[in-house]
Amino acid sequence: MTGPQKLTLNKKGEVSWKCFTPTLSRKTELAVEATVGGRKKRIPVDSDGVARAEFGQFKQGKIPVEAKLLDLTGKRILAVDRGNLFSRPKEDYSAPHNVEIDEFGRVMVGGKPFMPIGLFAAMIVEMKDTTALKKIKEAGFNTLLSIGYVNPYGGIKDTPEQTLRALCNELQKYDLKYIFSIKNQIELPKGTKPRGRYKWGKYTNKKQITDMTVKTLRNHPAMLAWYVSDENALGEIPAIRALRERISMNDPYHPVLTLTDKVGNFQHFAN
């Protein structure tokens, strides 16, 4: 499923899929049989491998989606994908903190084009370099990516919420956008090496901390995106998708980013 952006349905209920079938003949007739919020359609796959349809308007809430990729020529089901979308009350998506990717692949912030020129910033707090953000801005960068929980640029405050807001406030002083690396908040099976933050202030588990983080920063003008995975194994994709849905459930304004270092895994992470 490649659309809608930020898993947020528009009033027409537009949903799209990109189908990768490198081993099939180009003459194979394909279709996506999709059920969105209980509404079922069979959608032809075009020559670019795209299936797109409108399912209409839904009541506010979580909308389950199931899609089957059908080989109509061979009369078989090639793949099944399940996930969730969200129907929301009318929001002002032209707000200054709203981030979209337009039809040309450009990042749009508050309706205006923005070209992120960024770097991964670690060790700034540990090195106690109080001039680092200023130097980064003067070097021509406009975006930072880091693990927000261990990079409190604005200092440690009385509550987690205050610490997170101070982080973004400090970046905003230098007109820097922030990609919050929240990747370690994925929920992995027991026995897996622990990652992420489990306890912080009054919050006692990962989901609470994730929800608090997203709700605290979703309206901050320094926020650009959420970074949800970094060269993860394919087996962790269900946990990554769950984190992505949790973020999008609470934040209709910012996209999520993922990264894989293996070309063969691209289509799996693109989903």
Side-chain angles (χ1 to χ4, degrees), residues 183-198:
K183 63 187 179 70
N184 290 333
Q185 294 302 103
I186 62 172
E187 298 274 355
L188 295 173
K190 291 183 178 180
T192 307
K193 184 179 178 180
R195 305 180 202 169
R197 179 155 287 193
Y198 290 83

Side-chain angles (χ1 to χ4, degrees), residues 2-197:
T2 53
Q5 289 191 43
K6 296 172 283 188
L7 302 184
T8 298
L9 289 163
N10 61 20
K11 62 182 179 180
K12 294 181 179 180
E14 293 176 316
V15 187
S16 61
W17 292 264
K18 176 72 174 179
C19 307
F20 295 91
T21 55
T23 61
L24 293 182
S25 166
R26 294 182 64 85
K27 295 180 180 180
T28 303
E29 185 181 1
L30 299 173
V32 170
E33 187 173 271
T35 304
V36 178
R39 302 171 189 175
K40 191 173 183 178
K41 287 190 176 187
R42 180 172 287 192
I43 312 150
V45 177
D46 67 20
S47 58
D48 294 321
V50 175
R52 183 179 289 107
E54 297 177 359
F55 290 84
Q57 198 163 8
F58 292 88
K59 291 182 180 180
Q60 181 180 346
K62 182 187 289 188
I63 310 299
V65 179
E66 179 182 85
K68 298 176 182 178
L69 178 58
L70 307 180
D71 172 0
L72 300 180
T73 304
K75 298 182 179 180
R76 53 182 177 155
I77 298 173
L78 299 175
V80 179
D81 184 60
R82 297 180 180 89
N84 294 292
L85 297 173
F86 300 96
S87 178
R88 310 180 193 276
K90 187 177 180 180
E91 301 268 5
D92 181 10
Y93 294 121
S94 64
H97 56 275
N98 185 58
V99 181
E100 299 272 355
I101 309 299
D102 75 1
E103 60 185 305
F104 305 109
R106 300 179 301 175
V107 177
M108 306 293 287
V109 178
K112 298 178 181 178
F114 176 79
M115 178 63 182
I117 304 172
L119 77 165
F120 176 74
M123 302 301 290
I124 290 177
V125 176
E126 293 90 334
M127 297 294 289
K128 298 181 179 180
D129 186 349
T130 58
T131 65
L133 297 181
K134 182 174 182 289
K135 289 186 287 189
I136 288 169
K137 181 64 178 179
E138 290 175 347
F141 296 99
N142 60 19
T143 304
L144 264 70
L145 183 155
S146 73
I147 301 173
Y149 300 125
V150 296
N151 289 280
Y153 302 125
I156 302 296
K157 306 301 179 182
D158 292 338
T159 68
E161 292 90 341
Q162 290 172 345
T163 299
L164 290 169
R165 281 192 288 266
L167 181 163
C168 281
N169 289 343
E170 193 68 17
L171 293 172
Q172 193 177 9
K173 285 182 186 178
Y174 301 98
D175 198 25
L176 292 167
K177 293 294 184 185
Y178 192 44
I179 300 173
F180 194 113
S181 179
I182 200 168
K183 63 187 179 70
N184 290 333
Q185 294 302 103
I186 62 172
E187 298 274 355
L188 295 173
K190 291 183 178 180
T192 307
K193 184 179 178 180
R195 305 180 202 169
R197 179 155 287 193

